[in-house]
């Protein structure tokens, strides 16, 4: 299994990048892996309801374990496929990682390994907010965007600490096709 993980805040182009990259590589695009367990087909309502309850829980051990279970389940479900994922462990850690639950991530990485490449898509906060507002002025993720610099720093820290191969791409002045081309060029360089 080859795995390319696309990480980043909402509004940086993750889903578009994932779909285009998966298509160019002939890989399977995967997002919200636990929805394959909780839902039928493309309907993800059960997963969304469960995730909403999980996210409202203040216990970061719980939230980190929930999303880690999604990664474990995904690796079993797609073990014979090459995949591009919309978020993975770096995002999980960025939102749920703490000093007291690093053992959760260490265990998960020891069980499933590392993606072949983690791509952190970056944009400055003002660009993220502008993109989110252009989609929906009442988007709940606009408020979360104020934490973007801290979230990016946690993603990078995670990749360094767990020795994930990673790159950071600023998408603020790139088209989705240019982002995909940058990733493909990086994959070629790394062989």
């Amino acid at each position: 299994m080859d795995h390319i993980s696309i990480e980043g805040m909402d509004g940086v182009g993750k889903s578009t990048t994932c779909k285009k990259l998966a298509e160019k590589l002939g890989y399977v695009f995967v997002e919200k892996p636990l929805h394959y367990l909780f839902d039928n087909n493309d309907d993800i309502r059960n997963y969304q309801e469960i995730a909403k309850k999980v996210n409202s829980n203040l216990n970061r051990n719980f939230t980190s374990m929930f999303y880690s279970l999604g990664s474990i389940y995904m690796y079993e479900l797609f073990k014979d496929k090459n995949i591009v994922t919309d978020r993975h462990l770096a995002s999980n850690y960025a939102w749920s990682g703490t000093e007291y639950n690093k053992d959760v991530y260490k265990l998960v990485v020891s069980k499933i390994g590392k993606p072949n490449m983690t791509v952190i898509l970056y944009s400055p906060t003002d660009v993220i907010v502008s993109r989110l507002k252009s989609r929906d002025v009442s988007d709940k993720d606009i408020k979360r965007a104020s934490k973007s610099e801290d979230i990016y720093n946690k993603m990078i820290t995670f990749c360094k600490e767990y020795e994930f191969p990673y790159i950071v791409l600023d998408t603020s002045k790139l088209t989705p096709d240019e982002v995909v081309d940058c990733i493909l060029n990086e994959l070629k360089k790394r062989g």
Side-chain angles (χ1 to χ4, degrees):
M1 167 202 269
D2 279 346
H3 175 199
I4 300 166
S5 171
I6 308 297
E7 308 276 7
M9 298 290 294
D10 288 317
V12 294
K14 285 184 321 303
S15 297
T16 303
T17 298
C18 287
K19 290 172 187 170
K20 286 179 173 280
L21 183 62
E23 185 179 319
K24 284 215 175 193
L25 292 171
Y27 286 18
V28 176
F29 166 58
V30 180
E31 81 177 321
K32 301 172 181 46
L34 284 176
H35 105 78
Y36 295 97
L37 182 64
F38 300 137
D39 296 297
N40 295 318
N41 304 318
D42 290 331
D43 179 6
I44 63 169
R45 285 179 287 187
N46 289 332
Y47 169 79
Q48 287 174 323
E49 282 301 310
I50 293 166
K52 194 183 304 177
K53 290 177 183 176
V54 168
N55 292 339
S56 69
N57 190 307
L58 298 179
N59 183 326
R60 296 297 94 184
N61 279 327
F62 179 73
T63 57
S64 65
M65 291 286 269
F66 176 80
Y67 289 105
S68 292
L69 286 173
S71 293
I72 293 168
Y73 184 69
M74 175 183 72
Y75 268 57
E76 179 60 29
L77 193 62
F78 294 99
K79 65 184 170 195
D80 298 324
K81 307 261 190 242
N82 295 323
I83 59 174
V84 174
T85 58
D86 185 336
R87 294 199 168 127
H88 185 49
L89 291 175
S91 287
N92 179 343
Y93 181 80
W95 291 104
S96 295
T98 65
E99 280 301 314
Y100 67 81
N101 67 14
K102 285 186 176 188
D103 56 333
V104 170
Y105 298 97
K106 185 176 180 180
L107 173 64
V108 175
V109 171
S110 76
K111 292 294 181 189
I112 65 173
K114 305 168 191 175
N116 299 74
M117 184 188 306
T118 295
V119 180
I120 300 171
L121 299 183
Y122 170 84
S123 281
T125 303
D126 61 324
V127 173
I128 293 170
V129 169
S130 175
R131 287 178 181 172
L132 292 171
K133 283 182 177 179
S134 73
R135 293 193 305 205
D136 178 3
V137 291
S138 59
D139 190 320
K140 65 179 175 43
D141 292 317
I142 293 169
K143 184 178 177 185
R144 291 173 64 180
S146 66
K147 300 177 184 179
S148 66
E149 294 304 320
D150 292 337
I151 294 300
Y152 283 121
N153 288 332
K154 282 185 80 173
M155 287 179 194
I156 292 167
T157 297
F158 176 85
C159 289
K160 287 178 179 176
E161 187 168 334
Y162 292 92
E163 299 178 348
F164 277 31
Y166 78 98
I167 60 169
V168 178
L169 283 177
D170 185 338
T171 66
S172 59
K173 295 180 179 151
L174 298 174
T175 68
D177 288 326
E178 290 170 330
V179 171
V180 169
D181 287 343
C182 287
I183 296 168
L184 291 171
N185 287 335
E186 190 64 30
L187 287 169
K188 277 182 194 171
K189 277 195 254 178
R190 295 178 184 222

